[in-house]
Amino acid sequence: MKLFKPLALCLALALIGCASEAPQPSLPSGVTYLGSNPAPQAEITIPYEKFQLENGLTVVLHQDRSDPLVHLDVTYHVGSAREELGKSGFAHFFEHMMFQGSQHVADEQHFQLVTESGGTLNGTTNSDRTNYFETVPANQLEKMLWLEADRMGFLLPAVTEQAFEVQRATVKNERGQRVDNQPYGRLNELVHQALYPQGHPYSWPVIGWMEELDNGSVDDLRAFFARWYGPNNATLTIGGDFDRQQVLEWVVKYFGPIPRGPAVEQAPKAPAQLSEDRYLTLEDKVHLPLIYLSFPTVYARHQDEAALDLLADILGGGQTSIFYKNLVKAGLAVQAGVSHPCRELSCEFTLYALANPAKMPKLADIETVIRQSIAEFEQRGVTEEDLLKAQVGHEAGTIFGLQSVRGKVTSLAYNQTFFGEPDLLQTDLERYRNVSADDVMRVFNTYLKGQHAVIMSVVPPGQTGLAAANPTFTAPEPIDPATLAHAQKVVPAVIQDTFDRSQVPPAGPAPQLKVPGLWTRTLGNGIEVVGTQSLETPTTEILIALEGGQRLTPANQAGLARLTAAMMDESTDSMTTEQMAQELEKLGSSISISASGYRTYVNVSTLTQNLDATLALLQERLFKPAFRPEDFERVKVQQLQGLQHQANDPAWLASTAWSQLLFGVDNPMGQPLSGTLETVSALTLEQVKGFYQQQFRGGNASVVAVSDIDERTLMSKLDWLANWQGQAAQWPKLVRMPSTKGPVIYLMDKPGAAQSVIKIGRRGLPFDALGEYFKAGLMNYPLGGAFNSRINLNLREDKGYTYGARSGFSGGPELGSFVAGASVRSDVTAESVKEFLGEMTGFAENGMTRQELDFMRASVTQSDALKFETPGQKARFLGKLQRYNLPDNFVAQQGALINTISLNELNQLARKELDLSRMIILVVGDKTTIEAPLIALGYEVKPLTL
């Protein structure tokens, strides 16, 4: 298949200007040159150079001077799979500990330095690796290398008993928020217990079993770090705008003295094996019963991996698949899908369906349909179009992943860590291109047909009769902690330096901000098109914004805008839903339509070589929707079932209740975008057709375009937009909104909730780019706008009450709000409310400090360097300019305002905007355990229901 060959060649040519320089004969002492691909020899490549220090640290450099930023990634080849049986969760725990300071970096200083540099940072852990990364303006790179080196070589002095306990509480909060308090949150960890025998590296969850983390000690943690976090088990990857020689000298300076850690060998591949089907049942607080089948397969980069990936896409990867046709299209399931997730040691072929309880609630019946679908696939086989769509989708996804430096660095780091070769793009393209229909059928017969699986049923409480079968698997008993030996104390190595590591490296000269150059055209019918050229990848992004959204609908028709948008993804006059999806898949393009509070958006993403064909499909979708009754009934049922599903999510309940409290149930802005069971049940197909006529008018439309082709060429392809007729729709008048006088606590009961959701705030200012709304955001930044803000440091880092707490202003064209909030441990709900109010009161009374003002100024102004890198970022920037009629230089005007606004003006704003007498408090949690402590705070507590 050669569909993408010209495209990939264009991509290689586009990237060659960003390629690394040829290897220099002179390298800093202690650096070994290991190879490069500076001039693209393949169709598609990421230019890089690879080096190694004497201590074993692998260094990969990728130069890209298109934006004044750098992305740095340190990947350690250690994840939960390296943990010992009975001592789970340590790898993930270090994701937290590595941000808590080191010998020369104070507690919270890592976040402070990165944030005030205008950068972003994070860390992630999976079963096979842990990575830490920062994206910062290019002049901050030396500082980032100093930070990463300090926690690689000097972390252990900061691993104290107190820090250990605080982060242990934070991890428990993370589990509560992301696992225990989420519908279906425990699915994967239970499936993996059944799929892998006890002791297999994948038999425990990445976050760990909390009882095992409780049994761990500081010495255990320190020993785990000493074993796995040495430079010889790490890859440092840097991409962006930097000087190669200078970077290598910095790397040697900061990382070179760190001693090599213990030798690390590759873990043996360990695909799962099942001798029988294993059935499990989980009772969870869900509305939609779920069935999940997991078949063991191979491991990452096995010769059959590519064919299995394509098999998953063909069998259940979209609206043209057998899975979709037999389950979702037939109305038996609200969602269904197939995937083939792969990890270093093992892969799994997974199939799932969320049952429609109104039509087929019993998962045994759903399992029958799934197995019939598998048999149907075997009978039908793989068609030429099946293979084409799957292969094109893979190649398009690869190219879109190269739009950011972070995407390229992540790819280089992943491939180097696991396979010893940073750039495997061309190899991967060939792997998937060379898969034949016979290959797909071969892996189907080998790994799926007649093979055993773990079959998981998730059912509502007390409804085990809906499960696919009685459980045939019992999870093994936890490891007795008394049988585990605790680690001996680890003495940190003495590292000899020729410089003072306690000194924070200075920033380099400020980089020149590259705000996208733009052009504006107004079509004959008044539609404005704003665009810019982006040459890094041969792709085009088009965003059509239609003013209106839910704002056009009365409150008793909440959900109509979203239902109409969903219907626009269905059949047209001349194409079925499946035919449209098939044509898009063959192009590697996407057209998505979504509704928001004030707008309906049409997003188009395509490879530029397929732009003409994609735009033809866009016109079909925009102007010729069929609105067939059978599509309407299915889509409406899916939206209703989704609402019943969301009713089990505390965060959704809190968001919905909050909108009603602030804006009122009689206002469209006080209703959820998805509507309510009452409003959506009453919606008709005629109302959808009416809303389409009201919303999809040329007078409502504005367009943003980002492409690698020039303005003239692109506009010639968009000239059909000039024929779009219709005047702008008028917004109805908003009804009177409720009072938010307080403080008063509204309590919504969520029985058995592991965490409570807290929201504190009021209605606020609409959006402006340079006025009081913008200034209020600056004021809030040290209070709750950054990770190391007062609120987050208090509730997360000092108290261990939550996984994260924030506050902020949000504003649209006519309404806005201020909200401070978090999900907190249920047992500290009242204490958390008290801390929130205390921080806000203290900030209002005393204001921010001079140090906080300097921090805000540095952080917000320097972060502009990161805002315009990808086509998507450019499109959002242009969209904001267009929507609010902003001057082209508003970013520079904001920068000048930030640097001149006085401490006194910001503190006056704090006193005005943080007045608690104008605020209300919402708590969603288990009433039986949290009501009495909330009443004890001394505020009026009112019950609330939706």
Side-chain angles (χ1 to χ4, degrees):
M1 186 186 97
K2 298 184 178 179
L3 174 66
F4 272 73
K5 190 166 185 177
L7 165 71
L9 285 173
C10 289
L11 180 62
L13 292 173
L15 290 176
I16 194 169
C18 306
S20 302
E21 302 158 3
Q24 300 296 315
S26 175
L27 291 174
S29 177
V31 178
T32 301
Y33 174 75
L34 298 182
S36 68
N37 60 348
Q41 302 298 316
E43 297 174 29
I44 179 170
T45 187
I46 305 175
Y48 75 87
E49 289 183 281
K50 185 167 73 168
F51 308 88
Q52 193 168 67
L53 304 191
E54 292 178 348
N55 59 11
L57 177 68
T58 300
V59 181
V60 179
L61 302 182
H62 163 69
Q63 285 188 308
D64 180 345
R65 300 192 184 279
S66 58
D67 292 282
L69 58 85
V70 289
H71 182 80
L72 180 151
D73 177 289
V74 179
T75 295
Y76 295 91
H77 195 170
V78 55
S80 59
R82 299 284 195 179
E83 295 161 354
E84 299 176 31
L85 183 63
K87 294 185 178 182
S88 63
F90 280 17
H92 173 262
F93 198 95
F94 265 106
E95 183 193 320
H96 290 256
M97 289 301 301
M98 294 277 264
F99 290 103
Q100 301 311 303
S102 47
Q103 183 171 326
H104 307 101
V105 181
D107 186 19
E108 310 308 335
Q109 190 180 10
H110 197 117
F111 280 101
Q112 177 191 347
L113 289 174
V114 176
T115 307
E116 74 179 3
S117 296
T120 62
L121 73 163
N122 212 334
T124 65
T125 309
N126 63 31
S127 54
D128 303 315
R129 64 98 186 100
T130 306
N131 73 334
Y132 303 91
F133 51 88
E134 297 89 10
T135 306
V136 293
N139 64 324
Q140 304 290 337
L141 178 55
E142 183 183 8
K143 194 180 299 179
M144 299 306 108
L145 292 169
W146 171 76
L147 284 170
E148 288 293 352
D150 210 66
R151 61 182 174 188
M152 178 184 286
F154 302 88
L155 182 78
L156 290 183
V159 181
T160 63
E161 191 73 42
Q162 180 181 4
F164 177 73
E165 292 302 334
V166 169
Q167 291 312 308
R168 178 151 57 184
T170 302
V171 170
K172 290 180 178 180
N173 285 320
E174 180 179 1
R175 180 182 172 89
Q177 183 173 328
R178 293 186 170 184
V179 180
D180 299 331
N181 221 34
Q182 286 294 316
Y184 316 106
R186 297 191 61 207
L187 185 149
N188 281 319
E189 65 186 29
L190 297 177
V191 167
H192 290 154
Q193 273 192 300
L195 191 61
Y196 298 102
Q198 188 176 36
H200 188 286
Y202 294 165
S203 64
W204 53 82
V206 173
I207 200 169
W209 302 118
M210 292 302 97
E211 58 270 24
E212 294 184 359
L213 200 57
D214 281 338
N215 294 330
S217 68
V218 172
D219 288 338
D220 289 329
L221 197 69
R222 292 164 67 90
F224 188 82
F225 179 85
R227 174 68 185 89
W228 298 109
Y229 290 81
N232 52 305
N233 197 35
T235 297
L236 168 64
T237 309
I238 305 169
D241 186 4
F242 58 81
D243 177 86
R244 168 188 181 274
Q245 193 69 17
Q246 177 64 82
V247 165
L248 288 175
E249 291 174 2
W250 284 337
V251 169
V252 171
K253 175 181 179 179
Y254 294 114
F255 289 89
I258 301 172
R260 178 186 294 264
V264 176
E265 296 181 357
Q266 293 289 330
K269 308 302 181 186
Q273 297 179 350
L274 294 174
S275 59
E276 60 184 359
D277 287 338
R278 291 182 171 179
Y279 284 88
L280 297 85
T281 300
L282 170 66
E283 293 182 67
D284 202 358
K285 294 172 184 176
V286 299
H287 167 70
L288 302 176
L290 178 145
I291 186 169
Y292 184 97
L293 290 77
S294 183
F295 292 83
T297 59
V298 289
Y299 49 83
R301 294 197 75 80
H302 183 279
Q303 61 183 5
D304 289 341
E305 180 194 15
L308 283 160
D309 286 348
L310 298 182
L311 169 63
D313 194 67
I314 293 167
L315 184 59
Q319 292 177 313
T320 60
S321 68
I322 289 174
F323 226 59
Y324 182 87
K325 173 179 71 74
N326 292 349
L327 288 159
V328 180
K329 184 81 170 180
L332 305 180
V334 175
Q335 291 179 22
V338 181
S339 61
H340 183 238
C342 259
R343 291 182 279 179
E344 182 180 16
L345 309 182
S346 180
C347 306
E348 303 143 27
F349 197 92
T350 65
L351 311 93
Y352 83 94
L354 277 170
N356 177 1
K359 196 161 185 179
M360 187 174 279
K362 291 191 175 181
L363 295 178
D365 297 333
I366 297 290
E367 182 185 357
T368 298
V369 177
I370 290 174
R371 294 192 183 275
Q372 288 172 346
S373 300
I374 293 172
E376 180 182 342
F377 169 79
E378 179 185 15
Q379 186 67 28
R380 194 204 69 177
V382 179
T383 68
E384 184 177 340
E385 283 199 334
D386 283 338
L387 197 58
L388 174 65
K389 290 182 300 182
Q391 290 171 321
V392 166
H394 174 267
E395 295 200 17
T398 298
I399 291 166
F400 282 114
L402 301 177
Q403 291 183 329
S404 68
V405 171
R406 175 179 173 179
K408 288 178 278 190
V409 165
T410 299
S411 177
L412 293 169
Y414 170 81
N415 286 318
Q416 173 59 40
T417 298
F418 294 114
F419 313 116
E421 174 55 51
D423 181 22
L424 289 171
L425 289 181
Q426 182 65 33
T427 302
D428 279 338
L429 285 181
E430 295 300 332
R431 276 206 303 153
Y432 286 84
R433 284 177 181 171
N434 291 334
V435 172
S436 67
D438 288 342
D439 290 329
V440 175
M441 292 309 300
R442 176 180 55 78
V443 297
F444 169 82
N445 290 322
T446 303
Y447 302 103
L448 203 60
K449 180 184 177 182
Q451 298 303 310
H452 298 296
V454 171
I455 302 101
M456 177 77 169
S457 298
V458 184
V459 299
Q463 299 186 45
T464 55
L466 298 180
N470 291 327
T472 61
F473 172 79
T474 302
E477 292 294 322
I479 300 298
D480 182 358
T483 65
L484 303 175
H486 284 297
Q488 299 298 311
K489 287 189 176 182
V490 174
V491 178
V494 176
I495 298 175
Q496 300 295 330
D497 285 318
T498 58
F499 65 98
D500 183 1
R501 280 191 190 261
S502 66
Q503 298 300 306
V504 181
Q512 186 67 38
L513 181 63
K514 297 182 181 179
V515 178
L518 60 90
W519 47 263
T520 302
R521 297 277 290 273
T522 302
L523 304 179
N525 57 356
I527 293 178
E528 184 181 73
V529 182
V530 176
T532 190
Q533 191 172 26
S534 179
L535 298 174
E536 290 187 60
T537 55
T539 58
T540 297
E541 306 279 342
I542 297 172
L543 175 64
I544 301 174
L546 296 150
E547 295 298 330
Q550 181 145 307
R551 180 64 177 83
L552 291 177
T553 65
N556 63 4
Q557 293 181 11
L560 178 59
R562 178 163 287 185
L563 184 59
T564 305
M567 283 295 293
M568 295 289 288
D569 282 334
E570 296 295 327
S571 307
T572 66
D573 287 344
S574 58
M575 302 178 76
T576 66
T577 304
E578 294 77 17
Q579 288 170 336
M580 172 68 77
Q582 183 164 283
E583 292 306 310
L584 287 169
E585 288 171 5
K586 284 157 59 176
L587 298 170
S589 303
S590 68
I591 300 173
S592 62
I593 302 176
S594 60
S596 70
Y598 283 91
R599 284 180 155 188
T600 292
Y601 291 101
V602 182
N603 290 273
V604 180
S605 183
T606 182
L607 302 161
T608 302
Q609 69 170 17
N610 296 330
L611 179 57
D612 290 341
T614 303
L615 291 178
L617 295 173
L618 173 64
Q619 293 178 64
E620 177 79 17
R621 178 158 280 178
L622 279 179
F623 303 135
K624 299 178 182 179
F627 295 130
R628 294 176 180 170
E630 58 271 27
D631 289 338
F632 175 73
E633 291 303 322
R634 173 172 39 80
V635 171
K636 180 177 175 179
V637 166
Q638 289 173 351
Q639 191 156 323
L640 286 169
Q641 294 296 344
L643 284 167
Q644 290 184 298
H645 167 65
Q646 287 176 312
N648 292 288
D649 182 355
W652 183 86
L653 290 172
S655 177
T656 301
W658 187 250
S659 295
Q660 292 185 359
L661 288 169
L662 259 58
F663 304 115
V665 295
D666 296 327
N667 270 324
M669 312 320 294
Q671 295 289 349
L673 279 170
S674 51
T676 67
L677 289 173
E678 181 181 9
T679 62
V680 175
S681 295
L683 294 177
T684 67
L685 182 56
E686 290 307 310
Q687 287 173 319
V688 166
K689 293 178 180 178
F691 185 78
Y692 167 76
Q693 294 296 334
Q694 186 182 20
Q695 176 72 104
F696 285 81
R697 301 177 182 178
N700 292 329
S702 58
V703 181
V704 169
V706 180
S707 178
D708 63 313
I709 56 179
D710 60 74
E711 173 190 355
R712 182 176 180 180
T713 305
L714 183 56
M715 285 305 303
S716 70
K717 298 178 183 296
L718 297 176
D719 55 7
W720 53 271
L721 286 166
N723 300 320
W724 199 351
Q725 299 303 307
Q727 297 298 311
Q730 298 300 308
W731 294 358
K733 184 179 179 180
L734 286 174
V735 301
R736 184 178 179 87
M737 288 174 275
S739 168
T740 55
K741 185 178 180 180
V744 59
I745 298 175
Y746 293 89
L747 175 58
M748 178 179 289
D749 189 20
K750 185 68 172 70
Q755 290 199 319
S756 298
V757 181
I758 298 171
K759 289 182 178 291
I760 304 170
R762 60 175 179 83
R763 288 190 303 277
L765 302 162
F767 174 86
D768 66 58
L770 297 165
E772 192 161 311
Y773 170 84
F774 177 72
K775 294 175 183 178
L778 302 179
M779 173 273 292
N780 174 74
Y781 196 74
L783 171 65
F787 180 91
N788 52 321
S789 65
R790 294 189 187 186
I791 286 174
N792 195 56
L793 290 185
N794 181 345
L795 275 82
R796 171 179 160 138
E797 299 301 312
D798 295 341
K799 303 292 192 308
Y801 289 170
T802 179
Y803 183 54
R806 294 289 191 274
S807 65
F809 293 84
S810 60
E814 62 177 353
L815 296 173
S817 65
F818 168 80
V819 60
S823 290
V824 303
R825 287 192 346 245
S826 183
D827 65 314
V828 292
T829 302
E831 292 89 337
S832 298
V833 171
K834 181 179 179 181
E835 293 300 327
F836 264 115
L837 298 179
E839 290 291 353
M840 293 161 62
T841 299
F843 199 82
E845 292 177 351
N846 304 313
M848 72 170 67
T849 65
R850 174 64 61 177
Q851 183 180 12
E852 288 174 327
L853 174 64
D854 293 340
F855 166 73
M856 180 276 292
R857 283 176 171 167
S859 176
V860 178
T861 54
Q862 293 187 99
S863 66
D864 286 337
L866 278 60
K867 290 181 178 177
F868 316 113
E869 181 189 9
T870 68
Q873 288 174 310
K874 290 180 173 70
R876 287 189 290 275
F877 170 71
L878 297 182
K880 181 179 288 188
L881 282 174
Q882 185 182 63
R883 183 178 194 183
Y884 294 105
N885 195 29
L886 301 176
D888 294 354
N889 68 339
F890 90 93
V891 173
Q893 292 185 47
Q894 285 183 333
L897 190 156
I898 292 167
N899 288 323
T900 57
I901 192 169
S902 70
L903 191 63
N904 181 58
E905 183 176 359
L906 290 170
N907 289 341
Q908 286 181 347
L909 264 176
R911 285 189 288 274
K912 174 185 175 183
E913 297 297 333
L914 301 177
D915 180 1
L916 291 185
S917 69
R918 301 164 61 196
M919 295 192 190
I920 56 174
I921 303 164
L922 171 67
V923 179
V924 178
D926 186 352
K927 179 179 178 180
T928 60
T929 60
I930 67 176
E931 183 177 32
L934 287 172
I935 292 173
L937 292 176
Y939 303 110
E940 181 182 6
V941 177
K942 295 183 178 181
L944 181 69
T945 57
L946 288 180

